[in-house]
Amino acid sequence: MPNAEMTALAWRWIVLAFVTLGWWGAQPTQTYAADTFNCPTQQFSKTTKLTFRQHYPDFVEVRQTTSIKVPEQSKGLTDDLTLGADTADYQNAMYCLLHGNSTPPVTFGDWHPEWRSASSQVTNDDSLVTVQYESWNLIKDSGGFEVGPWVVGVRPGQAWEVDLHTPGAPGAPRGDALWDSIEVDPGGLELEISDASAVSSTHEDGSRKWLGSPDITVKVVPPWALVPSGHATWIVTLGLVSWWICASAVIAVSVWRFKKTAKNPDGEAAGALAKTALEWAALSTALGLTLLLLLHNPSATANRWRALIGISSGLTLVLLARPWLPLAQGSDDRGLPKRKKAVVNATLAAATIGLLVILVPDLFNLSPQLMPESSPPATGIVGLALLDLSIVWLWLAAIVAWAWCFVREGDLSTFFGDGESEHPEPSADSEFEHPAPSGDGESKNRLRPLIAIGATLFGAAVVVVACRWLSFHLMWERANWAGEASIIFGTDYRSYLSRQLADFASGGPQWVYSYTWMLAGIALVALLHLSFKRQETLELMRPEKVDLLLVAAIFAIVVALRGVMFAGRSAMVYGLWLPLNMVALYATVKVGRRWSVLYRANRRAGHNCVVKELSKPEDYNRLMKKALKCHDLLHRLHLLDRGHAEEKSRDQLEHKLHSLHQWRPEGCSQDCLPDEVSVVDVALSLGPDQYWWGNARKAARWAALFGILPSVATAWYEHVYDRHWTLTLSAPTGIPDTVGTFLVQEVSFTGAGLVLGALWRILPGERGPMRAFSLFIAWLVPIGVVAGVAPGLIVGAELDRAVLTALLMLMVLTVTSMWMDTDTFRRERQHWPSRLGLLVSIYQVHGLSGQIAYLTAQMVAVLTIWQKISGK
């Protein structure tokens, strides 16, 4: 199908989708009960119980059970209660029993309607109708939380105020509403109670019960992690600002070496990448501060300017990244003008749609502030949805464009390829060169990836905007259960929908920007790769100096810091975790390398002749052949000990092994292998590739693969498990954040694998799992130091979650390291039916049994902490 026809068809579907959304959003909602309440004023027998439970570290569940007994002669109220929970009369009757004739107005953003339990029931016994009503809510942030006749007021820096509705005639005294009993169970939290002249009792579980109609004030002391202080917003803000400053400083220090050599012929590519990295460091900090200022301007009159800044910044980011350039270096640029034209036109078209809504709001029947004072027509809702879609698409495209830029300039297009690691010195037969295109057909083919990426981003933007509408719709439906939402909020459905869409025009960029930390990680990996390609042959054995700094920065930004999101007081020093983790890894490497195999061999030899010899390809291959022969002899000796071989003499095998142990590299005056170290150990410490970058790339690929299941489990626990799914549906970006959590964990595991592979030769241990354990220690040390020095900065739940994430990382790296060991002897795979069989032969059964037990212990630790966090 020609491109023009495809474009026309796509636009028809887009217009149809948004017209449908506008029509759907413009439909009136039920209002039958809100203005027809005429509740009876007589007293009924009522009991109620409110229970708090903190099952999880990130929210508290509050549940209520209310029992009401209504005489049959109560003006037909009993007939309404027996009609069924889905009928309007039943809902009207229940609203009267729980809230009475009046409902105080509230603010939409601060009001959290309850979830009604399906276990509520109505029973008819003789002359009484008994209603058992149950509902619940989840307290995660500030605001008013409705739970049946109760309202829990949550304010920063204060105890939670628990109020009980007093159904009855308007203006009636509080005591006119008869409650036979009132009970509050804090569930382990602390109660603050102002007692009245009512009879009360305290149970063993800490719950408090009153009889009669007491005039009481109940307050609950919340967990600090949920409501830290009145300055919580500024604490988090300062923490994020400190992170921007530290991350930008790390990038600036990392590129200094490249900037100094940018004038050299071989440093042209490095200089270009250094310039791009510095540009992003400055842009990210400036954008972060700009968006931060928008957060503290909740005025509706600023929506227009906030949306304008969102569109202009997104457009600028996309164009500065130049995503029309080819992904691989050395590619032919014959189709460059067409790609540039396509990208620029698509970006300008997206920006024009949003600017049209902002600059000509009358076209969509909107006010200049984009906040309608009355119920807007369908065109207004469509216009605001298009504005949100435009902004979100531009910002998503900006992230992809800058990632594309770093991958291109850092020569990372083959990072997940299957080939061997590249030689540092570029040649005329470079693997990045491609044949010139043959004509227009090839040019069209080069446009297809850009079209596919743009369409995918458009679909993602539609999902994000649709989820924003869905969260609002579900909240309105809960509040409008008895048709009272328009009275509670003081406006109708369409007006509030348009306000939510208008607010998301500024909230969308802030949400997308929270994921731009990945770009800092990609930039550092690109710098690390170019640094590797510019090194001398001897330096390719292990990362040193600036390379070690880059590896530490990748560990801090991609692995340790992003794997655990701190909250509360610890967010105040959020940026300080970055240098703290870098120092911890650097110290772990410097201290632990003394126990590495290569360091022990060099120490025995007296100087660095071992590393010098292994830096030569022919000597490296010679050592690997010795290791393969040694491995074969060890396996035959193992079979002989178990009686499964027919060797004539054990002494012959031991003599051959002894001769292989006598390894004297060129320049060494004596054998350099300690008695407890074999040639196999040296080969395993070298890893599957001759150069450290090849080890890093292989380990990153395996970690990404083995991290899929833990990433799914993490996303499932944080967004789906039990009550989390309820919060996910209620959050404006809950469903996209579920996907985002999976991607964040995958990037974190991939970065951990890259760090493990890069440091493979200087980490302590003779087998891979011991090297993985060193990174685990490097992650835990800063957490332990802060928890010991300033325990108030990390609360118990945060500490448990941090350790759980570190254990998941350890599990992934342990399996990755075992697979790296098998990759080292991949030439023997043809002699083994499976990789597991090869692993058994390498670890000689007893060693494998220990590794399996070690991995099992990790799983038990993960399940134990998981059980503690979930409270199950």
Side-chain angles (χ1 to χ4, degrees):
M1 182 182 293
N3 290 336
E5 296 182 9
M6 293 179 61
T7 304
L9 182 60
W11 276 110
R12 291 193 191 101
W13 280 106
I14 293 171
V15 173
L16 178 61
F18 278 98
V19 169
T20 303
L21 175 64
W23 173 83
W24 194 355
Q27 297 305 303
T29 57
Q30 56 176 348
T31 57
Y32 53 84
D35 45 21
T36 59
F37 287 144
N38 186 17
C39 302
T41 58
Q42 66 263 39
Q43 298 174 347
F44 305 115
S45 176
K46 299 183 290 293
T47 62
T48 184
K49 179 179 180 180
L50 186 67
T51 304
F52 293 87
R53 288 289 183 270
Q54 187 179 9
H55 294 302
Y56 309 95
D58 49 354
F59 65 86
V60 170
E61 178 182 353
V62 55
R63 179 177 292 272
Q64 69 82 30
T65 302
T66 300
S67 178
I68 306 176
K69 296 182 179 180
V70 182
E72 285 191 350
Q73 65 271 19
S74 300
K75 298 183 179 180
L77 194 62
T78 55
D79 296 333
D80 295 340
L81 292 173
T82 57
L83 293 178
D86 296 331
T87 62
D89 292 334
Y90 169 85
Q91 296 165 1
N92 194 353
M94 284 302 305
Y95 186 89
C96 288
L97 294 175
L98 295 172
H99 303 284
N101 286 295
S102 60
T103 301
V106 297
T107 303
F108 183 87
D110 294 333
W111 184 250
H112 303 271
E114 64 182 349
W115 282 271
R116 294 161 184 87
S117 175
S119 59
S120 300
Q121 57 183 351
V122 178
T123 58
N124 193 343
D125 184 16
D126 296 332
S127 60
L128 288 177
V129 173
T130 303
V131 180
Q132 192 80 10
Y133 181 75
E134 297 183 10
S135 60
W136 50 277
N137 214 323
L138 303 176
I139 301 177
K140 187 178 178 66
D141 47 20
S142 61
F145 294 82
E146 176 192 21
V147 199
W150 301 84
V151 175
V152 181
V154 178
R155 296 292 180 269
Q158 303 177 12
W160 296 348
E161 296 183 359
V162 182
D163 293 326
L164 180 63
H165 284 297
T166 56
R174 183 183 181 96
D176 283 357
L178 176 62
W179 291 97
D180 292 337
S181 69
I182 302 171
E183 185 175 355
V184 177
D185 181 2
L189 304 179
E190 183 181 349
L191 284 179
E192 294 180 357
I193 300 172
S194 174
D195 283 318
S197 59
V199 179
S200 64
S201 60
T202 303
H203 297 175
E204 294 181 357
D205 58 358
S207 62
R208 193 75 175 266
K209 187 174 183 179
W210 296 265
L211 302 177
S213 301
D215 187 8
I216 60 172
T217 300
V218 180
K219 293 185 178 181
V220 179
V221 178
W224 173 260
L226 293 181
V227 187
S229 69
H231 303 288
T233 302
W234 282 106
I235 288 177
V236 175
T237 298
L238 292 176
L240 294 178
V241 170
S242 66
W243 187 90
W244 288 323
I245 294 174
C246 290
S248 298
V250 168
I251 293 177
V253 172
S254 301
V255 303
W256 182 253
R257 174 188 178 187
F258 298 94
K259 292 291 289 183
K260 291 192 300 182
T261 59
K263 296 181 179 180
N264 299 336
D266 60 346
E268 183 178 353
L273 177 59
K275 180 181 178 182
T276 303
L278 284 177
E279 287 178 355
W280 171 250
L283 281 173
S284 62
T285 303
L287 286 172
L289 293 175
T290 301
L291 296 176
L292 181 63
L293 296 176
L294 297 179
L295 283 174
H296 296 283
N297 190 2
S299 174
T301 57
N303 274 338
R304 185 178 186 181
W305 294 107
R306 287 187 287 186
L308 186 60
I309 293 175
I311 288 181
S312 59
S313 57
L315 176 63
T316 302
L317 286 174
V318 173
L319 296 180
L320 287 178
R322 300 178 297 171
W324 52 82
L325 295 178
L327 186 61
Q329 291 185 359
S331 298
D332 183 77
D333 292 339
R334 191 174 301 179
L336 182 60
K338 290 186 177 181
R339 293 197 302 272
K340 180 177 180 180
K341 181 179 179 181
V343 172
V344 172
N345 288 342
T347 307
L348 291 178
T352 301
I353 293 174
L355 291 175
L356 191 65
V357 180
I358 297 174
L359 301 179
V360 194
D362 295 339
L363 185 63
F364 299 91
N365 295 312
L366 294 172
S367 65
Q369 289 76 27
L370 307 179
M371 297 288 284
E373 299 177 356
S374 59
S375 182
T379 55
I381 295 177
V382 171
L384 291 173
L386 287 173
L387 174 62
D388 292 346
L389 181 64
S390 171
I391 294 177
V392 173
W393 187 90
L394 285 172
W395 274 80
L396 291 177
I399 288 185
V400 174
W402 278 92
W404 183 291
C405 180
F406 288 132
V407 169
R408 179 185 68 245
E409 297 189 2
D411 236 349
L412 296 175
S413 58
T414 59
F415 183 80
F416 287 99
D418 296 328
E420 300 294 327
S421 67
E422 318 116 46
H423 194 275
E425 296 179 0
S427 62
D429 298 326
S430 175
E431 60 179 304
F432 300 108
E433 294 200 7
H434 301 273
S438 57
D440 292 339
E442 181 70 19
S443 179
K444 291 180 179 179
N445 291 336
R446 293 181 181 273
L447 282 176
R448 289 179 181 176
L450 295 177
I451 296 174
I453 293 174
T456 302
L457 294 179
F458 174 77
V462 170
V463 170
V464 171
V465 176
C467 288
R468 180 67 187 94
W469 169 82
L470 178 63
S471 67
F472 162 80
H473 180 76
L474 293 177
M475 180 177 290
W476 182 275
E477 288 297 313
R478 295 201 316 272
N480 200 48
W481 181 66
E484 76 280 10
S486 58
I487 289 182
I488 291 178
F489 301 122
T491 186
D492 62 352
Y493 179 91
R494 286 179 289 175
S495 296
Y496 250 113
L497 174 60
S498 60
R499 294 186 185 183
Q500 298 304 304
L501 293 176
D503 288 340
F504 195 66
S506 59
Q510 297 161 9
W511 172 75
V512 177
Y513 184 78
S514 64
Y515 290 95
T516 57
W517 64 268
M518 297 185 197
L519 296 177
I522 297 174
L524 291 172
V525 173
L527 289 169
L528 184 64
H529 183 220
L530 282 191
S531 177
F532 160 80
K533 295 183 67 177
R534 297 170 59 246
Q535 290 175 346
E536 299 294 336
T537 305
L538 182 60
E539 297 174 341
L540 298 174
M541 291 300 297
R542 58 195 180 195
E544 298 284 355
K545 299 178 182 178
V546 176
D547 294 335
L548 188 57
L549 171 66
L550 289 170
V551 172
I554 293 171
F555 174 79
I557 293 178
V558 179
V559 183
L561 191 61
R562 302 310 307 186
V564 179
M565 294 298 295
F566 296 102
R569 293 177 179 178
S570 59
M572 182 172 55
V573 292
Y574 191 77
L576 298 181
W577 290 101
L578 195 152
L580 197 59
N581 280 288
M582 291 181 63
V583 171
L585 181 67
Y586 190 82
T588 301
V589 170
K590 287 298 182 182
V591 174
R593 71 190 309 170
R594 295 181 176 271
W595 288 273
S596 65
V597 173
L598 293 182
Y599 183 89
R600 289 154 62 190
N602 279 326
R603 183 172 55 190
R604 183 179 178 89
H607 48 56
N608 204 27
C609 61
V610 176
V611 174
K612 186 176 181 180
E613 166 132 345
L614 294 178
S615 63
K616 302 175 183 179
E618 58 276 9
D619 295 330
Y620 171 83
N621 292 330
R622 188 180 305 116
L623 174 68
M624 294 304 298
K625 290 180 181 179
K626 285 187 177 183
L628 291 173
K629 187 175 181 180
C630 181
H631 169 250
D632 178 63
L633 292 174
L634 287 172
H635 181 67
R636 291 162 63 184
L637 185 62
H638 175 72
L639 292 178
L640 180 63
D641 292 337
R642 296 174 62 89
H644 298 303
E646 299 180 356
E647 294 290 343
K648 295 181 179 180
S649 175
R650 177 185 180 90
D651 294 337
Q652 293 180 358
L653 293 178
E654 292 180 348
H655 177 73
K656 293 179 180 179
L657 287 172
H658 180 71
S659 63
L660 290 175
H661 192 271
Q662 295 176 347
W663 180 47
R664 185 175 301 177
E666 181 181 352
C668 294
S669 58
Q670 58 181 346
D671 295 337
C672 63
L673 291 183
D675 295 337
E676 67 277 7
V677 176
S678 67
V679 183
V680 172
D681 297 327
V682 176
L684 292 176
S685 69
L686 289 174
D689 200 277
Q690 183 182 355
Y691 304 126
W692 63 262
W693 173 257
N695 287 337
R697 190 177 64 169
K698 290 178 182 293
R701 291 193 320 214
W702 284 118
L705 178 62
F706 294 128
I708 292 177
L709 184 58
S711 298
V712 171
T714 301
W716 173 76
Y717 170 74
E718 293 188 2
H719 298 279
V720 180
Y721 177 58
D722 203 13
R723 298 298 189 192
H724 287 90
W725 182 241
T726 302
L727 289 174
T728 297
L729 292 178
S730 302
T733 57
I735 295 177
D737 278 332
T738 304
V739 180
T741 299
F742 170 80
L743 295 177
V744 165
Q745 291 299 317
E746 269 295 281
V747 171
S748 180
F749 288 137
T750 304
L754 186 141
V755 172
L756 175 66
L759 303 178
W760 187 263
R761 294 167 181 173
I762 53 180
L763 290 174
E766 299 174 358
R767 298 292 184 269
M770 185 60 189
R771 298 181 177 91
F773 187 75
S774 301
L775 295 185
F776 174 71
I777 295 299
W779 192 346
L780 285 188
V781 165
I783 299 175
V785 169
V786 174
V789 175
L793 288 180
I794 306 180
V795 298
E798 287 179 325
L799 184 60
D800 291 339
R801 181 170 287 184
V803 175
L804 175 62
T805 307
L807 281 171
L808 288 175
M809 191 253 326
L810 177 60
M811 290 179 60
V812 172
L813 292 185
T814 299
V815 180
T816 300
S817 63
M818 296 169 71
W819 250 243
M820 288 280 287
D821 285 341
T822 61
D823 267 352
T824 301
F825 288 90
R826 60 188 177 276
R827 297 177 184 176
E828 288 199 0
R829 280 293 306 277
Q830 57 183 337
H831 305 303
W832 297 93
S834 65
R835 186 183 289 266
L836 182 60
L838 177 60
L839 193 64
V840 170
S841 69
I842 294 174
Y843 287 175
Q844 294 302 317
V845 179
H846 297 294
L848 181 62
S849 300
Q851 302 303 333
I852 293 177
Y854 174 54
L855 190 59
T856 304
Q858 296 175 22
M859 296 179 64
V860 171
V862 167
L863 294 176
T864 301
I865 298 178
W866 190 311
Q867 185 181 32
K868 180 181 178 182
I869 292 178
S870 63
K872 299 296 183 181

